[in-house]
């Protein structure tokens, strides 16, 4: 259970006295909060990292259902000191917020399991990109239900690779479509399975109009006369660092119509509960600006009537916090901790993230 204090005033609703909008870090035991642009002057006065409960107080980590899950070269976990340092770091690596007034979201921390780490492992048969399949995700979901779900860990987030390459494959309305090899029965089937277990589904998306949709002039859902080509900005330019999408022309009504169709897809058709927008800028080590896309999609998701948590990634620029606060529930303040090697992570990669968390300390409040 998390108790929050913003500007010295405790808040159970996410907004402290004096209009300080607080948001907790995503961690097993959130003990610090970050305050947005409406923060009181005394928010962030303390610059030291807060203490967390001892490792013995925390719930156990979810282990892989496979016996050869990679750890470190010696087959041992890192020592207690590193675990304590990592716990402190995680408090600032990913921050989350209740969003704008009226945004109907759960203000508790998102807890659960994500597929990405196992997809980054190299040199171990069965792991890496090929690991992501419907059967493996189902096995992880079942393990979560048996172990950590009673303690509040109820999210199953399927990261990158669930969809076909958007530069070449889209659905009839120019939107991302599932990878039929990995998920032959589609993502709605997975959502139904997770929901039957009391879990929530997270899916992954990149900003912009998929290149395949623009080239095919895919018709926009429920928008006669609108195509993805008509919604694209001219001259065509990339919308994100990955280069799989084009920027939108916001002066065209077709752009807003396309974003509404994407919101309908993830909320009503796929029944996702969390949407991770990756390669968002300012941030993601790229020069673009996806703030308008994030705002439009966030509003469109709210209009569907279902609560969908909006998570931004990665290394979001602290200078753009005010632009994202009203429209995102969480965002990553760093890049990956995975080492993209034969184990999930190594300490040097984790240690480097402290410098990336430092600029966010000015938003900190005491929990």
């Amino acid at each position: 259970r998390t108790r929050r204090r913003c500007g010295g005033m405790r808040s159970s609703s996410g907004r402290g006295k004096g209009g300080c909008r607080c948001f907790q870090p995503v961690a097993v035991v959130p003990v610090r909060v970050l305050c947005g642009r409406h923060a009181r002057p005394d928010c962030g006065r303390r610059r030291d990292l807060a203490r967390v409960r001892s490792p013995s107080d925390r719930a156990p980590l979810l282990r892989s259902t496979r016996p050869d899950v990679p750890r470190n070269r010696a087959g041992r976990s890192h020592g207690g000191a590193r675990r304590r340092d990592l716990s402190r770091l995680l408090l600032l690596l990913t921050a989350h917020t209740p969003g704008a007034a009226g945004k109907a979201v759960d203000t508790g921390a998102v807890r659960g399991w994500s597929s990405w780490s196992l997809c980054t492992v190299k040199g171990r048969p069965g792991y890496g990109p090929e690991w992501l399949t419907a059967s493996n995700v189902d096995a992880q979901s079942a393990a979560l239900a048996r172990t950590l779900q009673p303690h509040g860990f109820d999210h199953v987030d399927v990261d990158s690779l669930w969809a076909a390459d958007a530069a070449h494959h889209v659905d009839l309305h120019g939107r991302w479509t599932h990878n039929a090899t990995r998920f032959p029965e589609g993502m709605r089937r997975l959502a139904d399975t997770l929901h039957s277990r009391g879990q929530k589904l997270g899916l992954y998306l990149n900003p912009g109009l998929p290149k395949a949709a623009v080239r095919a002039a895919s018709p926009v859902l429920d928008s006669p006369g609108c195509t993805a080509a008509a919604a694209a900005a001219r001259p065509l330019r990339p919308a994100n660092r990955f280069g799989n999408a084009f920027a939108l022309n916001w002066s065209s009504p077709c752009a807003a119509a396309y974003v509404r169709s994407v919101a309908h897809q993830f909320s009503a058709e796929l029944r996702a509960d969390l949407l991770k927008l990756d390669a968002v800028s300012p941030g993601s080590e790229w020069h673009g600006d996806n703030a308008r896309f994030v705002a439009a999609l966030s509003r469109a998701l709210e209009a569907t009537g279902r609560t969908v948590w909006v998570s931004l990634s990665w290394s979001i620029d602290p200078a753009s916090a005010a632009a994202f606060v009203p429209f995102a529930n969480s965002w990553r303040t760093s890049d990956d901790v995975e080492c993209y090697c034969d184990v999930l992570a190594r300490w040097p990669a984790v240690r480097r993230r402290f410098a990336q968390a430092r600029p966010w300390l000015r938003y900190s409040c005491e929990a």
Side-chain angles (χ1 to χ4, degrees):
R1 299 175 61 185
T2 303
R3 294 189 304 173
R4 289 171 288 173
R5 190 179 298 272
C6 188
M9 303 302 296
R10 184 180 300 173
S11 170
S12 60
S13 64
R15 183 184 292 275
K17 184 176 180 180
C20 179
R21 184 185 306 283
C22 290
F23 49 106
Q24 307 156 231
V26 172
V28 172
V29 188
V31 297
R32 290 188 67 83
V33 296
L34 302 181
C35 292
R37 57 178 174 177
H38 301 297
R40 288 165 54 103
D42 55 348
C43 279
R45 181 172 294 168
R46 288 191 58 184
R47 299 304 177 92
D48 57 304
L49 292 176
R51 293 180 299 170
V52 299
R53 292 189 292 172
S54 65
S56 61
D57 293 332
R58 303 190 192 106
L61 297 177
L62 177 64
R63 294 183 178 179
S64 169
T65 55
R66 297 180 54 134
D68 58 338
V69 60
R71 301 176 78 186
N72 60 22
R73 287 187 182 277
R76 299 186 299 270
S77 60
H78 291 301
R82 289 185 176 180
R83 286 197 300 271
R84 289 191 293 272
D85 289 342
L86 178 57
S87 298
R88 296 187 179 101
L89 174 62
L90 289 175
L91 298 176
L92 283 170
L93 286 184
T94 307
H96 75 88
T97 170
K103 188 173 177 63
V105 297
D106 178 2
T107 57
V110 173
R111 299 175 179 180
W113 171 86
S114 171
S115 65
W116 183 243
S117 291
L118 291 178
C119 292
T120 69
V121 176
K122 298 180 179 179
R124 288 180 179 259
Y127 292 104
E130 67 274 14
W131 180 89
L132 187 63
T133 63
S135 60
N136 281 340
V137 173
D138 180 72
Q140 291 292 334
S141 166
L144 190 71
R146 291 192 307 269
T147 56
L148 294 182
Q149 191 168 329
H151 303 283
F153 292 77
D154 59 358
H155 275 74
V156 174
D157 295 342
V158 183
D159 209 277
S160 180
L161 304 177
W162 74 266
D165 184 354
H168 304 287
H169 304 282
V170 289
D171 71 3
L172 294 177
H173 298 290
R175 306 167 302 182
W176 281 33
T177 187
H178 65 280
N179 183 310
T181 300
R182 299 179 187 274
F183 297 92
E185 296 181 273
M187 307 311 291
R188 178 58 183 266
R189 175 63 179 271
L190 177 61
D192 291 343
T193 299
L194 299 185
H195 292 159
S196 70
R197 293 171 175 158
Q199 298 171 348
K200 298 178 180 179
L201 171 64
L203 291 177
Y204 173 102
L205 181 69
N206 299 140
L209 279 162
K211 286 185 173 181
V214 175
R215 292 170 179 149
S218 301
V220 177
L221 178 69
D222 295 334
S223 301
C226 277
T227 67
R234 305 291 171 165
L236 295 175
R237 60 180 184 273
N240 61 64
R241 179 177 177 173
F242 296 147
N244 58 5
F246 293 122
L248 289 94
N249 174 17
W250 295 107
S251 64
S252 168
C254 295
Y258 178 80
V259 172
R260 287 194 300 270
S261 77
V262 172
H264 183 272
Q265 177 191 30
F266 282 94
S267 177
E269 298 174 26
L270 303 182
R271 306 295 286 180
D273 304 286
L274 179 148
L275 181 59
K276 173 184 173 181
L277 281 172
D278 197 25
V280 169
S281 57
S284 304
E285 304 168 12
W286 200 62
H287 60 274
D289 187 349
N290 300 128
R292 193 160 183 178
F293 183 91
V294 170
L297 184 56
S298 177
R299 292 190 183 105
L301 286 168
E302 288 182 358
T304 67
R306 285 189 71 248
T307 297
V308 179
W309 186 278
V310 178
S311 175
L312 308 183
S313 181
W314 74 93
S315 298
I316 300 301
D317 185 355
S320 298
F324 290 127
V325 161
F327 305 109
N329 303 105
S330 63
W331 53 82
R332 279 178 48 195
T333 62
S334 73
D335 51 1
D336 294 349
V337 297
E338 290 89 355
C339 63
Y340 293 82
C341 59
D342 60 340
V343 295
L344 297 181
R346 290 200 174 103
W347 179 244
V350 176
R351 184 174 56 203
R352 288 194 294 269
R353 305 303 174 249
F354 282 95
Q356 293 173 304
R358 190 174 298 120
W360 293 92
L361 289 175
R362 59 195 172 112
Y363 294 94
S364 298
C365 291
E366 185 176 352

